[in-house]
Amino acid sequence: MKSIINWSAWKKIGFRFIFIFLILEILTENFIGNIFLNATFFNNFFENIFTKPLIWLNNQFFNFPYNPNYWNSISGTLILIRHIFYFIISVLGSLVWPLLASKAINYKKLNFCFSEILKLVLSLKVFGYGIIKVFPIQMGRPSFIDLHKTIGDLEPVYLLWVTIGYGQPYQIFLGIAEVVAAILILFRKTMVIGLLLLLPIIANVILLNYTYIIGILDITLLLLIFNLYLLLPFFKSFYDLLIKGNSAILTYNYYNFSNIKLKNTISNFVAIIVILTFTFKMVSAYYMHIKLKAIDESRKYSEIKTFILGNDTLKLALGDTVRWRFWSEKMKNEKYMVTLAPMDAKKSTSYFLEKDTINHILTLNPLINTPSKLIKLKYKDLDDRNWHIEGQINGKNISVDLKKILPEESLILMKTKRNLLNIDRKD
């Protein structure tokens, strides 16, 4: 690592800054959760600690719009403020460091330990992202209702999600590349290959995040910084190899600790963490894949043929949020659920569904933390495919005729089979 061992004053300041900044990010992002297998616990822990102080900073200094996510209170605005706060702390810390630390500090040793931490965190995080693509659960297959949504009405992130969800071979290929890179960067002889393989993958994700308005200042940018920092010692070797055409050594040099027993103990501990985490993530992804596949197979759809509200028969109209277009059922966590999708599919409402097959009554119970009200409907089967429901919603009588949609009636998009050779289909 010759390119950064010659410690000038500016290199020391730069190292102190990046060391403080990235350690703070590692401690408060869900990197720790990935190491200890429980990201949710650590996310909630740090969310409870940081939300109020960050809101106070925003109210006092920044006045950025703050719209918390529906699943937690840490929004893009608060994360941005946290980055700014860490940046200021890192600048001040890099200047104050010499006054508090011993002048005999071994920067070479500290840099090696810091690089090992970055390498471990980067590998665990990338493996987690990769394995949920190998078992394609990060972007699930679009549902029948998804396929009937108007593209122009979709949020950009949702458009990306359903596109990659449909293109499962691409998603699996990308996941394999991430998993391979995550494994390669753990070993001395293959670390540089793994980092170079990972570099365009992360850059592609950042570009997608920007293009589809998912966010740039997120965990992906931190992974890119990790990657570039680990590649920094080899920049001169890349220049000699690619520009000058000279031979170059691209092997990662380990720091030679005098205490071999301590070194072996740490190495064994890290190996156990990696094996446990990789195994846990792989098994979790596999069972989640099986679970989601079962949910997909349990889906049943019905198209609304007529919808009478009071005395009015409502026609299909774009953007209508009252008239239903589809009735969608599925089994999730051993509970039936139903989604009522109007013409404006973004306004769909989901309920827990209870069926009284003796009295032919459907009870729609609102989900937790939703403003929906309980609905009771009577139903009857007209034949194998057609059925009818009636009851009251918001004090108004409804009468609805529905027709079950058979699996073979799905849209052409989902019926088309991929072929390696271009052969005309028989329509």
Side-chain angles (χ1 to χ4, degrees), residues 46 69 78 369:
F46 286 114
N69 301 311
L78 299 190
N369 298 325

Side-chain angles (χ1 to χ4, degrees), residues 258-269:
S258 57
N259 191 332
I260 302 301
K261 184 176 181 180
L262 176 61
K263 176 185 175 182
N264 291 337
T265 300
I266 295 176
S267 298
N268 292 335
F269 177 71

